[in-house]
Amino acid sequence: MQEMWALKHGQFERVVDCVVYINRHEQAETLVQAAVKHNVVLIPFGGGTNVSQALMCQKEETRMIVSVDCQRMNKVKWVDRKNMTACIEAGIMGRDLEKELLKFNVVLGHEPDSVEFSTLGGWISTRASGMKKNVYGNIEDIVINVKIVTPSGTITKVSDYPRISSGPDMNEIILGSEGNYGIITEAIMRVREKPEVRRYGSIVFPDWETGYRFMYDVARSRLWPASVRLVDNVQFQFGSSLKPAVDSKFAEFMEKVKKAYVLEFKKFNPEKLTAATLLFEGTKDQVNAQEANIYKLAKKHHGLKGGVENGLRGYFLTFAIAYLRDIAMSHSFIAESFETSVPWSNVLTLCEKTKERIELECKKWGVKGKPFSSFRLTQVYETGCTIYVYFGFRYDGIADPVKAYSEIEDAARDEVMKQGGSISHHHGVGKIRKKFIARSIGESGTNVMKNIKSTIDPKNIFAAGNTY
């Protein structure tokens, strides 16, 4: 958000001095060696979709800063169907990657909200998660081996072992490194067969608390669809307002019938009802089993099937949110989202307290009207889940909207962490959250990360300034 505001209304305090495009691993090695020799700062650039200010230059940096654009490293070098692995260059974007893998009838299955423009290297450097992680795993589950060019040399495993016990895993050191250590050039990734069946669905629940209990039971069942996401009433109404008009009298009649059934016969309160969107992927037998389990649990929690179309629309609404945020900024409304992971026992309290904190902080800043705040439960684990927090407000009459938003967001994140939530689930830390890192991993943990950095990059060539 801060970067979008600077683009629209101001200017950046520090920008890069040069952009270098690299085409292959060997060019990255040459570039890093030159940067070390001449004491030049390098900032790797993938798709530029981060929301943590990870690519913003540090204003106090006096050395030359070079942005290293990795998007020309965009090839699937090979696919091994025997071992179900693929060697993929780090600059390839998500949509292009899946398109190339489908030529071999396989998929990676990693689909973050930013999949249109984000890159494999970006996913690895932020320790990303995707909407279909229930079937395909988070990025750390998919990565077999990573190759990264650092000021101390190229780091990679000597073989693509499925697993190894030889001390701390080098992959885990690189995952989440956020551009601080070097340039990720390629990775060996696990792939899966192209799913035989893909089906969408949706379920309507009478309220958020009921939907939460359904999601908890889904997590305990361990028979998960590729994606199951619960939206609160605010987001449900928001999504409904974007629904296209029906194009026939019969369709209009059926919409009225369904609405009457939910609101009048079932007595669902339109100011409280929530919805879960579903995506099932796998073999026909796997999908049938997933659907049977999900709809059995939905019935237990008084859920009503909302249909395939609503599931499809809800799933793809996620991709539109970033565009809507940018449009809203042109109409005196500033908004953004952030995410956290939290134990199941803390979910309802975290959402309640965070909403109260956002409203309190907005009052302190003199925000006109009630701020927009909404929650979405997006990924399930046996021990907890991921919560997205969306919030925004009208900024007319506020002298410094960016400062206001930043401080309100910091307060909201402070509340999230007080209620047992993590610093981030998959967006990473960047610069926007680094003030919270010691609360997340402790001073000793922070010192370990700094010591790794000083060993790999003693001259601080990769001076992105993220994480710590």
mmCIF file of all heavy atoms in Angstrom, residues 327-365:
data_model
loop_
_atom_site.group_PDB
_atom_site.id
_atom_site.type_symbol
_atom_site.label_atom_id
_atom_site.label_comp_id
_atom_site.label_asym_id
_atom_site.label_seq_id
_atom_site.Cartn_x
_atom_site.Cartn_y
_atom_site.Cartn_z
ATOM 1 N N ILE A 327 -7.948 0.556 -7.108
ATOM 2 C CA ILE A 327 -9.044 1.409 -7.575
ATOM 3 C C ILE A 327 -9.587 2.243 -6.416
ATOM 4 O O ILE A 327 -9.834 3.445 -6.554
ATOM 5 C CB ILE A 327 -10.165 0.546 -8.194
ATOM 6 C CG1 ILE A 327 -9.672 -0.115 -9.482
ATOM 7 C CG2 ILE A 327 -11.410 1.393 -8.473
ATOM 8 C CD1 ILE A 327 -10.616 -1.166 -10.035
ATOM 9 N N ALA A 328 -9.746 1.620 -5.259
ATOM 10 C CA ALA A 328 -10.292 2.316 -4.086
ATOM 11 C C ALA A 328 -9.419 3.488 -3.668
ATOM 12 O O ALA A 328 -9.923 4.525 -3.226
ATOM 13 C CB ALA A 328 -10.455 1.340 -2.923
ATOM 14 N N MET A 329 -8.094 3.334 -3.834
ATOM 15 C CA MET A 329 -7.180 4.398 -3.439
ATOM 16 C C MET A 329 -7.437 5.687 -4.220
ATOM 17 O O MET A 329 -7.180 6.786 -3.730
ATOM 18 C CB MET A 329 -5.728 3.935 -3.631
ATOM 19 C CG MET A 329 -4.703 4.860 -2.999
ATOM 20 S SD MET A 329 -3.013 4.251 -3.187
ATOM 21 C CE MET A 329 -3.014 2.887 -2.021
ATOM 22 N N SER A 330 -7.969 5.546 -5.410
ATOM 23 C CA SER A 330 -8.276 6.728 -6.232
ATOM 24 C C SER A 330 -9.583 7.388 -5.813
ATOM 25 O O SER A 330 -9.969 8.410 -6.369
ATOM 26 C CB SER A 330 -8.353 6.325 -7.712
ATOM 27 O OG SER A 330 -7.117 5.787 -8.150
ATOM 28 N N HIS A 331 -10.278 6.777 -4.847
ATOM 29 C CA HIS A 331 -11.563 7.310 -4.378
ATOM 30 C C HIS A 331 -11.537 7.539 -2.871
ATOM 31 O O HIS A 331 -12.520 7.280 -2.161
ATOM 32 C CB HIS A 331 -12.688 6.350 -4.765
ATOM 33 C CG HIS A 331 -12.863 6.195 -6.247
ATOM 34 N ND1 HIS A 331 -13.625 7.057 -7.007
ATOM 35 C CD2 HIS A 331 -12.329 5.296 -7.119
ATOM 36 C CE1 HIS A 331 -13.583 6.687 -8.282
ATOM 37 N NE2 HIS A 331 -12.802 5.619 -8.372
ATOM 38 N N SER A 332 -10.396 8.014 -2.375
ATOM 39 C CA SER A 332 -10.233 8.410 -0.967
ATOM 40 C C SER A 332 -10.452 7.258 0.009
ATOM 41 O O SER A 332 -10.896 7.465 1.138
ATOM 42 C CB SER A 332 -11.181 9.568 -0.620
ATOM 43 O OG SER A 332 -10.920 10.687 -1.429
ATOM 44 N N PHE A 333 -10.150 6.037 -0.446
ATOM 45 C CA PHE A 333 -10.260 4.881 0.439
ATOM 46 C C PHE A 333 -8.952 4.100 0.381
ATOM 47 O O PHE A 333 -8.480 3.729 -0.695
ATOM 48 C CB PHE A 333 -11.422 3.983 0.016
ATOM 49 C CG PHE A 333 -11.790 2.947 1.053
ATOM 50 C CD1 PHE A 333 -12.671 3.257 2.078
ATOM 51 C CD2 PHE A 333 -11.247 1.673 1.005
ATOM 52 C CE1 PHE A 333 -13.004 2.312 3.038
ATOM 53 C CE2 PHE A 333 -11.582 0.725 1.957
ATOM 54 C CZ PHE A 333 -12.465 1.042 2.977
ATOM 55 N N ILE A 334 -8.360 3.871 1.541
ATOM 56 C CA ILE A 334 -7.068 3.204 1.608
ATOM 57 C C ILE A 334 -7.250 1.872 2.331
ATOM 58 O O ILE A 334 -7.936 1.789 3.350
ATOM 59 C CB ILE A 334 -6.048 4.119 2.331
ATOM 60 C CG1 ILE A 334 -4.619 3.688 2.048
ATOM 61 C CG2 ILE A 334 -6.311 4.226 3.810
ATOM 62 C CD1 ILE A 334 -3.593 4.748 2.437
ATOM 63 N N ALA A 335 -6.686 0.802 1.769
ATOM 64 C CA ALA A 335 -6.932 -0.523 2.323
ATOM 65 C C ALA A 335 -5.794 -1.472 1.978
ATOM 66 O O ALA A 335 -5.041 -1.256 1.020
ATOM 67 C CB ALA A 335 -8.252 -1.086 1.794
ATOM 68 N N GLU A 336 -5.682 -2.512 2.767
ATOM 69 C CA GLU A 336 -4.674 -3.561 2.531
ATOM 70 C C GLU A 336 -5.071 -4.771 3.368
ATOM 71 O O GLU A 336 -6.048 -4.729 4.127
ATOM 72 C CB GLU A 336 -3.275 -3.043 2.913
ATOM 73 C CG GLU A 336 -2.105 -3.947 2.541
ATOM 74 C CD GLU A 336 -2.054 -4.310 1.080
ATOM 75 O OE1 GLU A 336 -2.743 -5.305 0.720
ATOM 76 O OE2 GLU A 336 -1.345 -3.660 0.294
ATOM 77 N N SER A 337 -4.337 -5.836 3.239
ATOM 78 C CA SER A 337 -4.590 -7.032 4.044
ATOM 79 C C SER A 337 -3.277 -7.552 4.614
ATOM 80 O O SER A 337 -2.205 -7.250 4.098
ATOM 81 C CB SER A 337 -5.248 -8.119 3.189
ATOM 82 O OG SER A 337 -4.348 -8.575 2.181
ATOM 83 N N PHE A 338 -3.382 -8.298 5.675
ATOM 84 C CA PHE A 338 -2.231 -9.055 6.169
ATOM 85 C C PHE A 338 -2.743 -10.360 6.751
ATOM 86 O O PHE A 338 -3.964 -10.543 6.936
ATOM 87 C CB PHE A 338 -1.408 -8.250 7.184
ATOM 88 C CG PHE A 338 -2.096 -7.943 8.475
ATOM 89 C CD1 PHE A 338 -1.995 -8.808 9.561
ATOM 90 C CD2 PHE A 338 -2.838 -6.777 8.630
ATOM 91 C CE1 PHE A 338 -2.614 -8.523 10.770
ATOM 92 C CE2 PHE A 338 -3.459 -6.478 9.828
ATOM 93 C CZ PHE A 338 -3.344 -7.355 10.903
ATOM 94 N N GLU A 339 -1.847 -11.297 7.010
ATOM 95 C CA GLU A 339 -2.262 -12.624 7.428
ATOM 96 C C GLU A 339 -1.449 -13.092 8.626
ATOM 97 O O GLU A 339 -0.401 -12.544 8.939
ATOM 98 C CB GLU A 339 -2.128 -13.627 6.279
ATOM 99 C CG GLU A 339 -1.005 -13.356 5.288
ATOM 100 C CD GLU A 339 0.369 -13.317 5.907
ATOM 101 O OE1 GLU A 339 0.876 -14.400 6.251
ATOM 102 O OE2 GLU A 339 0.937 -12.229 6.067
ATOM 103 N N THR A 340 -1.979 -14.099 9.283
ATOM 104 C CA THR A 340 -1.318 -14.672 10.445
ATOM 105 C C THR A 340 -1.724 -16.132 10.542
ATOM 106 O O THR A 340 -2.724 -16.551 9.950
ATOM 107 C CB THR A 340 -1.719 -13.919 11.732
ATOM 108 O OG1 THR A 340 -0.979 -14.428 12.841
ATOM 109 C CG2 THR A 340 -3.199 -14.084 12.026
ATOM 110 N N SER A 341 -0.958 -16.910 11.274
ATOM 111 C CA SER A 341 -1.379 -18.264 11.637
ATOM 112 C C SER A 341 -1.601 -18.287 13.146
ATOM 113 O O SER A 341 -0.903 -17.607 13.898
ATOM 114 C CB SER A 341 -0.335 -19.297 11.220
ATOM 115 O OG SER A 341 0.922 -19.027 11.814
ATOM 116 N N VAL A 342 -2.582 -19.068 13.577
ATOM 117 C CA VAL A 342 -2.997 -19.000 14.977
ATOM 118 C C VAL A 342 -3.542 -20.354 15.415
ATOM 119 O O VAL A 342 -4.172 -21.059 14.616
ATOM 120 C CB VAL A 342 -4.063 -17.887 15.145
ATOM 121 C CG1 VAL A 342 -5.286 -18.152 14.282
ATOM 122 C CG2 VAL A 342 -4.465 -17.721 16.594
ATOM 123 N N PRO A 343 -3.302 -20.767 16.657
ATOM 124 C CA PRO A 343 -3.897 -22.005 17.162
ATOM 125 C C PRO A 343 -5.426 -21.928 17.130
ATOM 126 O O PRO A 343 -6.009 -20.851 17.287
ATOM 127 C CB PRO A 343 -3.379 -22.093 18.601
ATOM 128 C CG PRO A 343 -2.144 -21.249 18.628
ATOM 129 C CD PRO A 343 -2.395 -20.148 17.654
ATOM 130 N N TRP A 344 -6.073 -23.071 16.966
ATOM 131 C CA TRP A 344 -7.533 -23.099 16.878
ATOM 132 C C TRP A 344 -8.187 -22.446 18.092
ATOM 133 O O TRP A 344 -9.219 -21.762 17.969
ATOM 134 C CB TRP A 344 -8.017 -24.542 16.745
ATOM 135 C CG TRP A 344 -7.821 -25.129 15.379
ATOM 136 C CD1 TRP A 344 -6.964 -26.113 15.012
ATOM 137 C CD2 TRP A 344 -8.515 -24.742 14.176
ATOM 138 N NE1 TRP A 344 -7.058 -26.373 13.663
ATOM 139 C CE2 TRP A 344 -8.014 -25.548 13.133
ATOM 140 C CE3 TRP A 344 -9.508 -23.807 13.884
ATOM 141 C CZ2 TRP A 344 -8.470 -25.441 11.817
ATOM 142 C CZ3 TRP A 344 -9.958 -23.695 12.574
ATOM 143 C CH2 TRP A 344 -9.445 -24.504 11.559
ATOM 144 N N SER A 345 -7.607 -22.638 19.267
ATOM 145 C CA SER A 345 -8.224 -22.122 20.487
ATOM 146 C C SER A 345 -8.267 -20.598 20.550
ATOM 147 O O SER A 345 -9.023 -20.027 21.340
ATOM 148 C CB SER A 345 -7.478 -22.661 21.716
ATOM 149 O OG SER A 345 -6.099 -22.317 21.657
ATOM 150 N N ASN A 346 -7.473 -19.920 19.716
ATOM 151 C CA ASN A 346 -7.372 -18.458 19.779
ATOM 152 C C ASN A 346 -8.108 -17.747 18.646
ATOM 153 O O ASN A 346 -8.151 -16.520 18.620
ATOM 154 C CB ASN A 346 -5.904 -18.033 19.731
ATOM 155 C CG ASN A 346 -5.112 -18.522 20.913
ATOM 156 O OD1 ASN A 346 -5.217 -19.675 21.311
ATOM 157 N ND2 ASN A 346 -4.273 -17.667 21.479
ATOM 158 N N VAL A 347 -8.670 -18.484 17.707
ATOM 159 C CA VAL A 347 -9.172 -17.879 16.464
ATOM 160 C C VAL A 347 -10.253 -16.831 16.724
ATOM 161 O O VAL A 347 -10.152 -15.673 16.267
ATOM 162 C CB VAL A 347 -9.712 -18.968 15.509
ATOM 163 C CG1 VAL A 347 -10.442 -18.323 14.325
ATOM 164 C CG2 VAL A 347 -8.570 -19.837 15.000
ATOM 165 N N LEU A 348 -11.305 -17.198 17.410
ATOM 166 C CA LEU A 348 -12.439 -16.280 17.574
ATOM 167 C C LEU A 348 -12.058 -15.048 18.375
ATOM 168 O O LEU A 348 -12.436 -13.925 18.024
ATOM 169 C CB LEU A 348 -13.606 -17.010 18.230
ATOM 170 C CG LEU A 348 -14.215 -18.160 17.411
ATOM 171 C CD1 LEU A 348 -15.348 -18.820 18.186
ATOM 172 C CD2 LEU A 348 -14.705 -17.668 16.060
ATOM 173 N N THR A 349 -11.282 -15.237 19.428
ATOM 174 C CA THR A 349 -10.850 -14.103 20.240
ATOM 175 C C THR A 349 -9.937 -13.184 19.445
ATOM 176 O O THR A 349 -10.058 -11.951 19.523
ATOM 177 C CB THR A 349 -10.122 -14.591 21.506
ATOM 178 O OG1 THR A 349 -10.993 -15.429 22.253
ATOM 179 C CG2 THR A 349 -9.694 -13.417 22.374
ATOM 180 N N LEU A 350 -9.026 -13.767 18.670
ATOM 181 C CA LEU A 350 -8.119 -12.949 17.855
ATOM 182 C C LEU A 350 -8.905 -12.048 16.900
ATOM 183 O O LEU A 350 -8.624 -10.848 16.791
ATOM 184 C CB LEU A 350 -7.160 -13.849 17.079
ATOM 185 C CG LEU A 350 -6.114 -13.146 16.199
ATOM 186 C CD1 LEU A 350 -4.812 -13.948 16.159
ATOM 187 C CD2 LEU A 350 -6.620 -12.958 14.753
ATOM 188 N N CYS A 351 -9.885 -12.618 16.209
ATOM 189 C CA CYS A 351 -10.671 -11.820 15.262
ATOM 190 C C CYS A 351 -11.451 -10.719 15.978
ATOM 191 O O CYS A 351 -11.479 -9.565 15.526
ATOM 192 C CB CYS A 351 -11.614 -12.724 14.474
ATOM 193 S SG CYS A 351 -10.789 -13.910 13.387
ATOM 194 N N GLU A 352 -12.069 -11.065 17.091
ATOM 195 C CA GLU A 352 -12.855 -10.085 17.842
ATOM 196 C C GLU A 352 -11.986 -8.943 18.360
ATOM 197 O O GLU A 352 -12.322 -7.755 18.185
ATOM 198 C CB GLU A 352 -13.548 -10.793 19.012
ATOM 199 C CG GLU A 352 -14.366 -9.868 19.898
ATOM 200 C CD GLU A 352 -14.930 -10.564 21.122
ATOM 201 O OE1 GLU A 352 -14.812 -11.801 21.222
ATOM 202 O OE2 GLU A 352 -15.486 -9.862 21.999
ATOM 203 N N LYS A 353 -10.866 -9.283 18.987
ATOM 204 C CA LYS A 353 -10.006 -8.256 19.575
ATOM 205 C C LYS A 353 -9.318 -7.409 18.513
ATOM 206 O O LYS A 353 -9.114 -6.199 18.702
ATOM 207 C CB LYS A 353 -8.960 -8.908 20.476
ATOM 208 C CG LYS A 353 -9.523 -9.600 21.714
ATOM 209 C CD LYS A 353 -10.185 -8.606 22.664
ATOM 210 C CE LYS A 353 -10.644 -9.289 23.940
ATOM 211 N NZ LYS A 353 -11.323 -8.345 24.864
ATOM 212 N N THR A 354 -8.943 -8.016 17.400
ATOM 213 C CA THR A 354 -8.287 -7.260 16.330
ATOM 214 C C THR A 354 -9.253 -6.269 15.702
ATOM 215 O O THR A 354 -8.882 -5.121 15.407
ATOM 216 C CB THR A 354 -7.723 -8.215 15.261
ATOM 217 O OG1 THR A 354 -6.817 -9.138 15.885
ATOM 218 C CG2 THR A 354 -6.991 -7.452 14.176
ATOM 219 N N LYS A 355 -10.492 -6.670 15.512
ATOM 220 C CA LYS A 355 -11.509 -5.763 14.968
ATOM 221 C C LYS A 355 -11.710 -4.577 15.908
ATOM 222 O O LYS A 355 -11.759 -3.418 15.457
ATOM 223 C CB LYS A 355 -12.825 -6.517 14.774
ATOM 224 C CG LYS A 355 -13.908 -5.735 14.044
ATOM 225 C CD LYS A 355 -15.159 -6.581 13.893
ATOM 226 C CE LYS A 355 -16.203 -5.876 13.040
ATOM 227 N NZ LYS A 355 -15.851 -5.873 11.607
ATOM 228 N N GLU A 356 -11.796 -4.854 17.204
ATOM 229 C CA GLU A 356 -11.959 -3.781 18.190
ATOM 230 C C GLU A 356 -10.767 -2.841 18.169
ATOM 231 O O GLU A 356 -10.925 -1.614 18.254
ATOM 232 C CB GLU A 356 -12.117 -4.383 19.591
ATOM 233 C CG GLU A 356 -13.431 -5.110 19.805
ATOM 234 C CD GLU A 356 -13.492 -5.809 21.155
ATOM 235 O OE1 GLU A 356 -12.499 -5.727 21.919
ATOM 236 O OE2 GLU A 356 -14.538 -6.424 21.474
ATOM 237 N N ARG A 357 -9.570 -3.398 18.036
ATOM 238 C CA ARG A 357 -8.351 -2.569 18.032
ATOM 239 C C ARG A 357 -8.295 -1.682 16.802
ATOM 240 O O ARG A 357 -7.923 -0.493 16.893
ATOM 241 C CB ARG A 357 -7.119 -3.482 18.097
ATOM 242 C CG ARG A 357 -5.788 -2.754 18.213
ATOM 243 C CD ARG A 357 -5.574 -2.145 19.594
ATOM 244 N NE ARG A 357 -4.280 -1.477 19.693
ATOM 245 C CZ ARG A 357 -3.141 -2.095 20.043
ATOM 246 N NH1 ARG A 357 -3.148 -3.399 20.371
ATOM 247 N NH2 ARG A 357 -2.011 -1.424 20.127
ATOM 248 N N ILE A 358 -8.670 -2.224 15.655
ATOM 249 C CA ILE A 358 -8.681 -1.424 14.426
ATOM 250 C C ILE A 358 -9.643 -0.251 14.573
ATOM 251 O O ILE A 358 -9.317 0.896 14.227
ATOM 252 C CB ILE A 358 -9.067 -2.302 13.217
ATOM 253 C CG1 ILE A 358 -7.926 -3.273 12.874
ATOM 254 C CG2 ILE A 358 -9.405 -1.435 11.997
ATOM 255 C CD1 ILE A 358 -8.302 -4.331 11.862
ATOM 256 N N GLU A 359 -10.834 -0.504 15.085
ATOM 257 C CA GLU A 359 -11.827 0.560 15.244
ATOM 258 C C GLU A 359 -11.360 1.611 16.242
ATOM 259 O O GLU A 359 -11.552 2.816 16.036
ATOM 260 C CB GLU A 359 -13.165 -0.053 15.667
ATOM 261 C CG GLU A 359 -13.797 -0.905 14.565
ATOM 262 C CD GLU A 359 -15.104 -1.542 14.981
ATOM 263 O OE1 GLU A 359 -15.500 -1.391 16.165
ATOM 264 O OE2 GLU A 359 -15.731 -2.213 14.129
ATOM 265 N N LEU A 360 -10.713 1.163 17.324
ATOM 266 C CA LEU A 360 -10.189 2.097 18.329
ATOM 267 C C LEU A 360 -9.104 2.991 17.738
ATOM 268 O O LEU A 360 -9.122 4.218 17.925
ATOM 269 C CB LEU A 360 -9.633 1.315 19.524
ATOM 270 C CG LEU A 360 -8.939 2.144 20.619
ATOM 271 C CD1 LEU A 360 -9.935 3.096 21.273
ATOM 272 C CD2 LEU A 360 -8.305 1.225 21.661
ATOM 273 N N GLU A 361 -8.167 2.393 17.014
ATOM 274 C CA GLU A 361 -7.066 3.169 16.442
ATOM 275 C C GLU A 361 -7.569 4.126 15.363
ATOM 276 O O GLU A 361 -7.039 5.236 15.218
ATOM 277 C CB GLU A 361 -6.006 2.222 15.857
ATOM 278 C CG GLU A 361 -5.333 1.303 16.879
ATOM 279 C CD GLU A 361 -4.553 2.061 17.938
ATOM 280 O OE1 GLU A 361 -3.992 3.114 17.610
ATOM 281 O OE2 GLU A 361 -4.503 1.586 19.097
ATOM 282 N N CYS A 362 -8.574 3.711 14.595
ATOM 283 C CA CYS A 362 -9.138 4.607 13.587
ATOM 284 C C CYS A 362 -9.782 5.832 14.236
ATOM 285 O O CYS A 362 -9.683 6.960 13.722
ATOM 286 C CB CYS A 362 -10.158 3.854 12.724
ATOM 287 S SG CYS A 362 -9.414 2.748 11.498
ATOM 288 N N LYS A 363 -10.438 5.632 15.364
ATOM 289 C CA LYS A 363 -11.021 6.767 16.091
ATOM 290 C C LYS A 363 -9.945 7.742 16.544
ATOM 291 O O LYS A 363 -10.104 8.957 16.466
ATOM 292 C CB LYS A 363 -11.812 6.257 17.307
ATOM 293 C CG LYS A 363 -13.159 5.652 16.971
ATOM 294 C CD LYS A 363 -13.904 5.240 18.236
ATOM 295 C CE LYS A 363 -15.260 4.642 17.898
ATOM 296 N NZ LYS A 363 -15.988 4.199 19.121
ATOM 297 N N LYS A 364 -8.821 7.200 17.007
ATOM 298 C CA LYS A 364 -7.721 8.052 17.449
ATOM 299 C C LYS A 364 -7.208 8.927 16.312
ATOM 300 O O LYS A 364 -6.764 10.054 16.544
ATOM 301 C CB LYS A 364 -6.576 7.190 17.989
ATOM 302 C CG LYS A 364 -6.861 6.499 19.311
ATOM 303 C CD LYS A 364 -5.655 5.660 19.750
ATOM 304 C CE LYS A 364 -5.918 4.946 21.058
ATOM 305 N NZ LYS A 364 -4.735 4.096 21.454
ATOM 306 N N TRP A 365 -7.249 8.409 15.099
ATOM 307 C CA TRP A 365 -6.755 9.151 13.943
ATOM 308 C C TRP A 365 -7.834 10.023 13.292
ATOM 309 O O TRP A 365 -7.576 10.685 12.285
ATOM 310 C CB TRP A 365 -6.172 8.192 12.908
ATOM 311 C CG TRP A 365 -4.735 7.852 13.182
ATOM 312 C CD1 TRP A 365 -4.247 6.811 13.912
ATOM 313 C CD2 TRP A 365 -3.606 8.602 12.744
ATOM 314 N NE1 TRP A 365 -2.882 6.857 13.950
ATOM 315 C CE2 TRP A 365 -2.456 7.948 13.238
ATOM 316 C CE3 TRP A 365 -3.430 9.758 11.979
ATOM 317 C CZ2 TRP A 365 -1.165 8.411 12.991
ATOM 318 C CZ3 TRP A 365 -2.147 10.223 11.733
ATOM 319 C CH2 TRP A 365 -1.038 9.555 12.239
#
